[in-house]
Amino acid sequence: MKPELTKLFAHLKKDYKIIAPVKKTRGIFLSRINDPKKVCFSAELTKNTFKEFLFPKKQTLFNFQGDKLIEPANSSYPKQAIFGISIIDLRALLVYEQVFRHDPYYQNYRNNSLIIGYLSLASTDQTFGIFEERLEEDTLEHLEFDVFALATPAGIHFFSGSSKGRQALIGAGIENFENIEYVGPVRESGLDPLMMANYKKVKNSFERHRLVWEELGRRCLACGKCSLVCPTCFCFASDQVFGQTKRTGRKTRRWDTCFYSEFSRVAGGHKFLDTIAKRIYFWYEHKFVRIPDEFSIPGCVGCGRCIAVCPVAIDLRQTLKDLAQPPKTMKQLVKK
Amino acid sequence: MKNPYLTYPAKILRIQKESSDSNLYTLKFEDPKVQKAFRFNPGQFVVAGLVGFGEGPFDICSSSLETGSLEICVRQAGAVTKRIHQLKIGDRLQIRGPYGHGFPMNKLANRNLLLIGGGCGFVTMRTVILDYLKKPSAKQKLQVFFGVTSERDLLFANEFDNWRKKIDLYLIASKPSAAWPHQVGLITNLFDKVKIMEKVGVLACGPPIMYRFTLERLKKLGIPDTDIYLSFERRMDCAVGVCQHCAIGSFYVCKDGPVFSYDKIKDIPGAI
Ligand SMILES: Cc1cc2nc3c(=O)[nH]c(=O)nc-3n(C[C@H](O)[C@H](O)[C@H](O)COP(=O)(O)OP(=O)(O)OC[C@H]3O[C@@H](n4cnc5c(N)ncnc54)[C@H](O)[C@@H]3O)c2cc1C
Ligand code: SF4
Ligand code: SF4
Ligand code: FES
């Protein structure tokens, strides 16, 4: 293992639970580790992402006793150092940082976590051609992280992105690092041109490219796997449940997915997204239109995880290509 | 950091049965500070519910000039609303809000208003009406359309006489009993019977089908899209623009709505 990282892990172990990429039979997963020797440094994209550690599949919003609502104690949020987050996934983290900036639960998880980005210059390009992973001069200043470790042939080069990150590095005896000041998610040169191109393709395309969406609607099983693995998917639903003793219980929230038909159901049974075609469009619309409109950043970071898990091989690269074509008319289709 | 999901207990001061399935609840926050800070605009909503059972969005329907209490009208429609209907005076509801943006009343201050409420959607119109009764304006007249299926669905019927002193109220029912003294048909039939005022701003709340037909009539009258305000219903959870359940295009009904001017949403597929 790289000696500088050994030092860092040894130091962090004192205060933090360490979460890092670990090689398992089905791929590399971000997992809780006790033994830093288990860490996999290949810098390949992990199958799972930071999201389950900062926004758990299910979490308690309030415990209640009678009418009294009690927020979970700060001590119930784990102190965790999450190592090995790629630049692609740091871009997804930006979405979370924007979406949940007023959400005390996310903020509690985030404040108790140390985010350590990682890139190996030796690793191959992992993007699916949707966005680029290349590290450019200004890449890091537009990402939010605490520490970033760049593996170069000459050894690990460290960057700090926050005072928490600086403290961790200094505490570990690593004095040679560069401070990066976060200047916001959008580059000085303006909005990401690729994001804008995709935005135009998807926006209000449900009628225009009806055949593309209907075809996807026919193929998609609405299993929701793509949204489960997607590092920018975050929608949720909340529930209230009674506990064992009288008048106690919890208000919880859990991951939801817009692929499920219940997602848009209102009292009386009406579902606004009543076909799979409408739901898969809603999913694309969120990533390629709604998030860019809200936050000026891409809602899809091009990690390709959704493509890898889809049981019916739906591939968003193909969808974006289809949407770039002039819409097919019925006539053309019949001829074919 | 303020917790946007925290609810505040409010005591039920009064319950008035309005229709076969709807009750009007007058509520007052237990904490006087919360009650004092609670201000809203016509068209905004709260999330109301019961600890352990759940919560849902409800339009506020009292006058926005009334600061000592607030009112919501709840139709029994499922699990939580059934439970709310079992509550008695003195029981408590948990409330958070107000949420969203209501009707742009300042912008409309010198305009005549046409209010169109279909069924349960009429609830939110009551705030506009009560505000007008409290502070009538020489520069503004109100025409109000209220469409229901039958007389059993009418809301606030015991207030109509009082309303009629200052506003024009038109009732229409599609399947009333033989005794129904008002118009029979769909709410859009009222456009054949009533001369709509000049320079009118339109506020509407009802089901999508009502919007489709109403918009046709409004277009025929030459009313610009920017003068038509529609209140939308969607599934909600967070009510603060995060959970995605209520999204329409790039907007959230909870945060950017529930009221949208027609020009803002008309190009979004599936909005109406
Ligand atoms: C902006 C807005 C204003 C509303 N104003 C009123 C009103 O003034 N009076 C009234 O009676 N009803 C109103 N509704 C509808 C009301 O919110 C639902 O009827 C109610 O949430 C149903 O809850 P339930 O548990 O009884 O039904 P169930 O079908 O058992 O619903 C379970 C849960 O689903 C969610 N849900 C169900 N229907 C809706 C819905 N239509 N909108 C949002 N979430 C829903 C709620 O979280 C609810 O707790 C409004 C809805 C919206 C979106
Ligand atoms: S490629 Fe797929 S999984 Fe990855 S960010 Fe985009 S939509 Fe999500
Ligand atoms: S993984 Fe594929 S089949 Fe499943 S919901 Fe996503 S697009 Fe549809
Ligand atoms: S209710 Fe959650 S985004 Fe509107």
Side-chain angles (χ1 to χ4, degrees):
Chain A
M1 193 171 68
K2 331 246 173 192
E4 304 94 323
L5 286 169
T6 318
K7 265 205 306 205
L8 182 62
F9 286 138
H11 172 66
L12 293 177
K13 261 185 83 170
K14 285 182 240 160
D15 289 331
Y16 293 96
K17 294 176 180 172
I18 308 236
I19 289 149
V22 175
K23 200 160 203 135
K24 302 198 171 163
T25 41
R26 284 171 43 246
I28 299 170
F29 286 82
L30 277 182
S31 320
R32 169 88 200 275
I33 54 154
N34 288 316
D35 178 6
K37 285 200 197 73
K38 293 244 166 75
V39 179
C40 167
F41 291 101
S42 68
E44 286 163 75
L45 275 186
T46 48
K47 296 274 180 206
N48 60 343
T49 64
F50 65 84
K51 83 169 174 183
E52 64 191 65
F53 301 100
L54 296 178
F55 179 62
K57 285 184 180 133
K58 187 171 177 180
Q59 64 183 304
T60 298
L61 300 184
F62 299 102
N63 292 296
F64 58 79
Q65 272 161 16
D67 270 358
K68 208 167 162 231
L69 299 171
I70 305 150
E71 290 178 50
N74 197 34
S75 58
S76 60
Y77 297 91
K79 278 200 80 84
Q80 53 190 6
I82 311 177
F83 169 79
I85 305 182
S86 65
I87 287 178
I88 300 176
D89 287 343
L90 283 177
R91 291 212 172 97
L93 182 65
L94 281 179
V95 174
Y96 274 63
E97 294 282 301
Q98 299 291 325
V99 168
F100 291 112
R101 67 188 180 279
H102 301 304
D103 187 282
Y105 303 94
Y106 174 82
Q107 293 301 330
N108 283 340
Y109 275 103
R110 179 66 183 88
N111 291 338
N112 278 308
S113 302
L114 195 77
I115 300 292
I116 309 172
Y118 179 63
L119 176 71
S120 167
L121 286 183
S123 66
T124 50
D125 178 34
Q126 323 209 13
T127 58
F128 281 66
I130 303 169
F131 286 99
E132 290 167 348
E133 193 192 18
R134 275 207 318 270
L135 187 65
E136 287 172 18
E137 215 178 326
D138 68 343
T139 301
L140 290 183
E141 66 192 47
H142 297 293
L143 296 173
E144 292 193 58
F145 58 87
D146 297 304
V147 173
F148 193 89
L150 178 68
T152 71
I156 303 277
H157 190 78
F158 285 102
F159 302 85
S160 79
S162 70
S163 61
K164 201 159 64 177
R166 267 191 297 286
Q167 273 167 24
L169 288 168
I170 293 169
I174 299 165
E175 260 137 39
N176 197 4
F177 60 85
E178 240 177 90
N179 278 319
I180 301 284
E181 197 175 334
Y182 176 62
V183 293
V186 184
R187 286 183 155 171
E188 289 72 20
S189 52
L191 297 177
D192 190 304
L194 214 51
M195 174 183 89
M196 289 318 293
N198 290 335
Y199 177 91
K200 286 203 193 96
K201 286 178 212 164
V202 179
K203 185 169 174 144
N204 290 351
S205 66
F206 190 75
E207 310 282 350
R208 188 173 67 234
H209 280 90
R210 209 173 44 125
L211 296 174
V212 172
W213 295 111
E214 278 177 5
E215 164 66 13
L216 285 172
R218 265 192 298 277
R219 282 168 60 202
C220 170
L221 310 172
C223 66
K225 276 189 178 173
C226 48
S227 68
L228 219 61
V229 296
C230 174
T232 64
C233 270
F234 56 80
C235 72
F236 59 82
S238 46
D239 306 291
Q240 304 207 14
V241 284
F242 281 109
Q244 303 280 358
T245 50
K246 210 175 165 222
R247 311 242 314 137
T248 65
R250 290 192 301 157
K251 178 172 181 182
T252 57
R253 75 172 166 197
R254 61 181 157 79
W255 292 2
D256 200 352
T257 160
C258 58
F259 282 92
Y260 293 168
S261 80
E262 282 296 298
F263 188 83
S264 64
R265 189 194 71 90
V266 291
H270 180 68
K271 291 166 182 169
F272 286 91
L273 306 172
D274 57 349
T275 63
I276 297 182
K278 285 185 195 166
R279 300 204 285 276
I280 196 163
Y281 172 71
F282 186 90
W283 192 71
Y284 277 79
E285 189 184 45
H286 184 208
K287 304 206 172 300
F288 294 101
V289 182
R290 195 146 60 238
I291 291 177
D293 267 340
E294 252 189 298
F295 305 118
S296 307
I297 55 175
C300 163
V301 293
C303 71
R305 290 184 178 93
C306 57
I307 305 168
V309 297
C310 181
V312 294
I314 288 175
D315 183 330
L316 89 182
R317 289 168 300 185
Q318 188 57 45
T319 307
L320 292 171
K321 262 187 218 151
D322 292 346
L323 292 175
Q325 300 298 318
K328 284 201 181 79
T329 59
M330 267 302 169
K331 228 182 189 168
Q332 286 169 320
L333 281 180
V334 175
K335 251 193 218 155
K336 208 164 94 183
Chain B
M1 180 175 280
K2 194 171 173 288
N3 189 328
Y5 305 111
L6 191 62
T7 54
Y8 299 90
K11 211 173 210 128
I12 300 176
L13 303 181
R14 198 173 80 103
I15 303 173
Q16 160 92 23
K17 190 168 168 63
E18 289 293 342
S19 74
S20 54
D21 57 6
S22 300
N23 289 344
L24 178 67
Y25 295 86
T26 310
L27 306 164
K28 190 184 183 85
F29 286 103
E30 295 217 306
D31 183 343
K33 269 193 253 136
V34 175
Q35 180 62 50
K36 200 156 174 249
F38 190 86
R39 290 276 186 288
F40 69 97
N41 293 316
Q44 281 193 291
F45 66 96
V46 288
V47 170
L50 282 143
V51 171
F53 290 94
E55 55 182 19
F58 299 92
D59 287 318
I60 313 165
C61 65
S62 42
S63 165
S64 69
L65 306 165
E66 168 63 57
T67 53
S69 61
L70 68 143
E71 289 178 323
I72 57 173
C73 182
V74 178
R75 188 168 74 95
Q76 187 172 325
V80 178
T81 48
K82 182 172 176 197
R83 182 73 196 128
I84 292 177
H85 272 234
Q86 292 166 354
L87 298 178
K88 300 191 179 59
I89 291 174
D91 288 344
R92 275 171 300 186
L93 275 173
Q94 292 282 337
I95 312 268
R96 56 189 178 96
Y99 290 119
H101 295 273
F103 301 108
M105 297 316 289
N106 286 337
K107 203 171 138 197
L108 293 166
N110 297 327
R111 304 283 295 273
N112 291 322
L113 297 179
L114 169 63
L115 275 47
I116 306 174
C120 194
F122 186 78
V123 167
T124 192
M125 297 303 158
R126 184 170 175 255
T127 301
V128 181
I129 295 169
L130 295 182
D131 281 4
Y132 183 80
L133 294 181
K134 277 197 175 185
K135 266 198 182 168
S137 150
K139 293 186 185 142
Q140 185 175 56
K141 285 204 184 92
L142 257 61
Q143 283 180 321
V144 180
F145 289 4
F146 186 3
V148 287
T149 308
S150 82
E151 53 264 64
R152 297 176 57 223
D153 308 314
L154 278 179
L155 303 169
F156 320 122
N158 60 345
E159 302 172 31
F160 289 169
D161 286 343
N162 192 36
W163 295 3
R164 283 202 165 98
K165 289 176 196 159
K166 290 197 180 114
I167 63 166
D168 289 330
L169 174 67
Y170 303 92
L171 304 175
I172 189 161
S174 55
K175 286 181 199 139
S177 73
W180 173 254
H182 308 283
Q183 300 287 340
V184 176
L186 298 172
I187 202 160
T188 37
N189 295 131
L190 286 173
F191 286 96
D192 300 326
K193 315 274 176 195
V194 179
K195 185 167 166 18
I196 307 297
M197 297 172 296
E198 294 292 309
K199 268 189 45 202
V200 76
V202 182
L203 317 182
C205 185
I209 180 103
M210 179 188 105
Y211 288 155
R212 279 192 286 265
F213 292 113
T214 307
L215 283 164
E216 246 171 55
R217 304 303 291 252
L218 296 173
K219 291 293 95 191
K220 269 194 204 142
L221 288 168
I223 297 172
D225 297 342
T226 45
D227 287 345
I228 302 172
Y229 297 92
L230 308 171
S231 181
F232 281 80
E233 183 186 11
R234 283 295 184 278
R235 174 64 175 256
M236 286 188 186
D237 197 298
C238 70
V240 290
V242 181
C243 76
Q244 302 299 312
H245 282 269
C246 72
I248 302 181
S250 281
F251 300 117
Y252 299 107
V253 173
C254 64
K255 191 176 96 188
D256 307 307
V259 175
F260 294 96
S261 67
Y262 180 52
D263 63 305
K264 210 167 162 185
I265 39 92
K266 67 175 181 183
D267 293 329
I268 301 173
I272 291 179

